[in-house]
Amino acid sequence: AQKVTQAQTEISVVEKEDVTLDCVYETRDTTYYLFWYKQPPSGELVFLIRRNSFDEQNEISGRYSWNFQKSTSSFNFTITASQVVDSAVYFCALSGTNTGNQFYFGTGTSLTVIP
Amino acid sequence: ETGVTQTPRHLVMGMTNKKSLKCEQHLGHNAMYWYKQSAKKPLELMFVYNFKEQTENNSVPSRFSPECPNSSHLFLHLHTLQPEDSALYLCASSPGAFYGYTFGSGTRLTVV
């Protein structure tokens, strides 16, 4: 079974605080990909990162960083020094060898950054 | 134009109306998708097309009828909808799920 869990439904932080969004996944595939998407109020889901199951290196892109840990089946996303423009809904997603051409999305975490 | 384009951006329709949502991509992707996003609910996969062939129908009511005339265009025909069908309808395309999706901006549908 493929499943993505984002336990945090809503998070509020004050601007400049760091915030971590959690993502836990389940899959029986040995080859799979994990993704994060951002959905601002405009509605379009914007791709942030793609990570394959064989690459456990953490990645940093500006204020964004991702921590992939296969041992705990987690792919967490940290925003450093949050800004108001980071306010959005963030989705974690999984695709695997046996998922066909489909993603499995988590339920999303709504982040509000308060100025 | 790059990316995935959805029209219209907003649509208000009565329960007896017939309307269509349009999605267009010129990214050369083979797969196209319709998702429904209702308030406070997860993204719901509705339909998947691979190389113009429907490969997934996620138990969607027949009042939603998809059409994929070619690999660049995807339509969602709507008829006799219910107020609970009001939602954001998102189209996406992909060269393969391992590569990620490219989403359109969505059509915000209100059924009155």
Side-chain angles (χ1 to χ4, degrees):
Chain A
Q2 318 281 352
K3 185 178 179 182
V4 175
T5 301
Q6 293 180 257
Q8 303 151 309
T9 306
E10 296 181 355
I11 301 177
S12 292
V13 298
V14 176
E15 198 171 22
K16 298 185 183 176
E17 286 184 347
D18 299 347
V19 58
T20 296
L21 310 182
D22 298 332
C23 174
V24 174
Y25 63 92
E26 295 175 30
T27 180
R28 292 181 182 169
D29 294 336
T30 54
T31 301
Y32 53 90
Y33 282 80
L34 296 163
F35 302 82
W36 276 95
Y37 281 81
K38 174 182 180 181
Q39 187 180 35
S42 60
E44 180 178 351
L45 274 82
V46 178
F47 169 84
L48 295 179
I49 190 171
R50 165 178 173 254
R51 175 52 52 88
N52 76 57
S53 52
F54 298 107
D55 182 2
E56 287 193 69
Q57 274 194 322
N58 290 333
E59 182 157 341
I60 298 174
S61 176
R63 295 184 298 107
Y64 295 171
S65 62
W66 291 269
N67 184 347
F68 176 29
Q69 292 194 343
K70 287 180 79 169
S71 59
T72 55
S73 297
S74 65
F75 187 43
N76 296 337
F77 172 32
T78 298
I79 302 174
T80 303
S82 59
Q83 300 176 2
V84 173
V85 293
D86 296 327
S87 296
V89 180
Y90 291 85
F91 291 93
C92 181
L94 163 75
S95 72
T97 313
N98 296 309
T99 64
N101 227 357
Q102 293 185 35
F103 271 20
Y104 287 82
F105 282 96
T107 51
T109 297
S110 177
L111 173 66
T112 301
V113 180
I114 303 165
Chain B
E1 189 173 347
T2 59
V4 177
T5 303
Q6 288 187 245
T7 54
R9 290 295 307 274
H10 301 273
L11 177 62
V12 179
M13 60 185 289
M15 289 189 284
T16 58
N17 290 159
K18 289 184 180 181
K19 296 286 184 183
S20 295
L21 310 185
K22 180 182 177 183
C23 177
E24 184 174 356
Q25 60 93 6
H26 295 287
L27 300 169
H29 292 172
N30 303 318
M32 295 186 77
Y33 312 78
W34 279 117
Y35 277 85
K36 176 183 178 183
Q37 187 178 31
S38 305
K40 305 294 184 184
K41 288 187 177 180
L43 285 162
E44 300 174 48
L45 177 65
M46 299 177 73
F47 301 104
V48 180
Y49 278 82
N50 282 298
F51 295 97
K52 302 187 299 178
E53 299 298 318
Q54 185 177 312
T55 57
E56 185 81 21
N57 176 339
N58 216 18
S59 302
V60 180
S62 59
R63 58 185 183 270
F64 295 92
S65 174
E67 179 190 2
C68 189
N70 55 62
S71 57
S72 298
H73 294 85
L74 185 64
F75 295 89
L76 188 63
H77 304 299
L78 316 171
H79 64 97
T80 58
L81 295 191
Q82 305 297 312
E84 59 265 28
D85 297 322
S86 299
L88 180 67
Y89 289 85
L90 290 160
C91 175
S93 71
S94 173
F98 277 5
Y99 298 95
Y101 287 4
T102 300
F103 281 89
S105 299
T107 295
R108 191 161 297 279
L109 173 68
T110 303
V111 181
V112 297

